[in-house]
Amino acid sequence: MTVLGEYALPRDKPVWTSMLVEVLGILDIEEKSARQALARSAAEGWVVSERVGRRVRWSLTPPGRRLLTEGADRIYAFGREQRRWNGQWLMLIVSVPEAKRDLRHRLRTRLTWAGFGSPVAGVWVSPDLSRQREAQQIVNDLGLEAQAMSFTAAYGEVGEQESMVARSWDLTELKDRYEDFIDRFTGLHPTGGRAVLRAQTELVHEWRRFPFLDPQLPAELLPAKWSGTKAAELFHHKHVDWRPEAQQYWDDIVEAEEAG
């Protein structure tokens, strides 16, 4: 899906199986695994195949195109600018019985993806008040609107705000992930279209995880010299720098496939 989003999505043209297998091979993915990935993507409704003589080519379905477009918007915009914060918190209280573990898991997953943290069981917080509508949608989708309440307020005088942040989000693990990303890509200087395409694809593939891991807390709530800031600068610099040659190598493979 990273390959399709980075190269196939902007062109809106079908892609031959052999071409996708070749590009995934550049990423050390064996042919059998590549074909299995295509089959899974088709089963999930993201791509559809078309036979042309003895060959098969693949196109994004409308849901697949929508998924990748939304993903691309989120990936490329992530980390570009720091949001101003007025000190206000959004608090969501949702009661889910212990016996309904699947429902609790689904609620936790969706709220976490929306950037919420949970300092204590049943309580979710976010410094982004604009998330209120998304929170409303989540509890409605899960049939929990009768068990949910929300508040917006500044942090009070009891306890420490820093402690609540530490209990709500594992910023230490996130910091370690960012530093691993920085270590991996800072000294990487690929030469030649094949190597640049590989580096660019791996860069995007690794970066695409962060919008789901990072709640994007305002600077006031982050540790000093936050590694996420450096990682974002690195991603956007490398992506712009490598993009022309990576895209050209993709076009060269397309041209060779069409000629063959």
Side-chain angles (χ1 to χ4, degrees), residues 67 82 110 125 149-150 171 187 224 239 257:
L67 174 76
Q82 188 69 46
R110 291 190 60 180
V125 294
M149 297 176 285
S150 67
L171 295 181
H239 189 264
E257 285 286 336

Side-chain angles (χ1 to χ4, degrees), residues 75-219:
I75 291 167
Y76 302 141
F78 185 75
R80 281 198 176 276
E81 51 186 55
Q82 188 69 46
R83 184 179 68 251
R84 290 187 177 182
W85 187 49
N86 63 2
Q88 294 289 302
W89 287 91
L90 169 62
M91 177 187 294
L92 178 70
I93 301 175
V94 191
S95 176
V96 182
E98 178 68 30
K100 297 184 178 181
R101 292 185 178 180
D102 179 62
L103 183 59
R104 287 164 66 97
H105 174 72
R106 289 162 62 197
L107 177 67
R108 173 173 291 276
T109 299
R110 291 190 60 180
L111 286 175
T112 299
W113 282 1
F116 283 82
S118 180
V120 295
V123 177
W124 294 86
V125 294
S126 170
D128 185 353
L129 302 190
S130 69
R131 294 289 187 182
Q132 189 155 201
R133 181 172 295 181
E134 187 173 0
Q136 178 74 67
Q137 187 63 53
I138 290 170
V139 296
N140 287 351
D141 290 347
L142 298 178
L144 293 169
E145 58 268 32
Q147 288 80 38
M149 297 176 285
S150 67
F151 303 87
T152 58
Y155 195 88
E157 297 180 3
V158 179
E160 298 292 333
Q161 184 168 251
E162 292 78 6
S163 176
M164 183 187 73
V165 171
R167 292 166 65 178
S168 301
W169 295 279
D170 190 347
L171 295 181
T172 300
E173 181 182 354
L174 181 59
K175 172 177 169 287
D176 290 343
R177 284 177 176 260
Y178 273 130
E179 291 181 351
D180 287 344
F181 180 88
I182 292 167
D183 291 343
R184 178 173 179 182
F185 292 103
T186 295
L188 190 58
H189 304 286
T191 56
R194 180 185 177 92
V196 174
L197 181 140
R198 173 173 178 148
Q200 178 81 324
T201 307
E202 291 179 341
L203 179 81
V204 174
H205 190 66
E206 291 301 316
W207 185 250
R208 69 184 298 172
R209 307 171 194 271
F210 287 111
F212 299 101
L213 297 172
D214 189 342
Q216 289 192 279
L217 300 179

Side-chain angles (χ1 to χ4, degrees), residues 16 19 23 38 49 67 97 108 119 132-133 143 158 186 198 226 232 240 242 245 251:
W16 298 107
M19 180 178 172
V23 172
L38 272 170
S49 63
L67 174 76
R108 173 173 291 276
Q132 189 155 201
R133 181 172 295 181
V158 179
T186 295
R198 173 173 178 148
W226 176 237
V240 169
W242 291 341
E245 194 166 359
D251 288 334

Side-chain angles (χ1 to χ4, degrees), residues 31-104:
E31 180 176 346
K32 181 179 179 181
S33 297
R35 293 182 181 275
Q36 288 174 342
L38 272 170
R40 284 196 304 271
S41 298
E44 292 172 3
W46 307 133
V47 295
V48 62
S49 63
E50 174 190 9
R51 182 169 291 278
V52 181
R54 290 187 169 186
R55 307 175 73 192
V56 175
R57 61 185 184 182
W58 299 84
S59 299
L60 291 168
T61 61
R65 175 166 291 280
R66 185 165 57 250
L67 174 76
L68 291 179
T69 299
E70 291 173 356
D73 290 344
R74 190 166 186 176
I75 291 167
Y76 302 141
F78 185 75
R80 281 198 176 276
E81 51 186 55
Q82 188 69 46
R83 184 179 68 251
R84 290 187 177 182
W85 187 49
N86 63 2
Q88 294 289 302
W89 287 91
L90 169 62
M91 177 187 294
L92 178 70
I93 301 175
V94 191
S95 176
V96 182
E98 178 68 30
K100 297 184 178 181
R101 292 185 178 180
D102 179 62
L103 183 59
R104 287 164 66 97

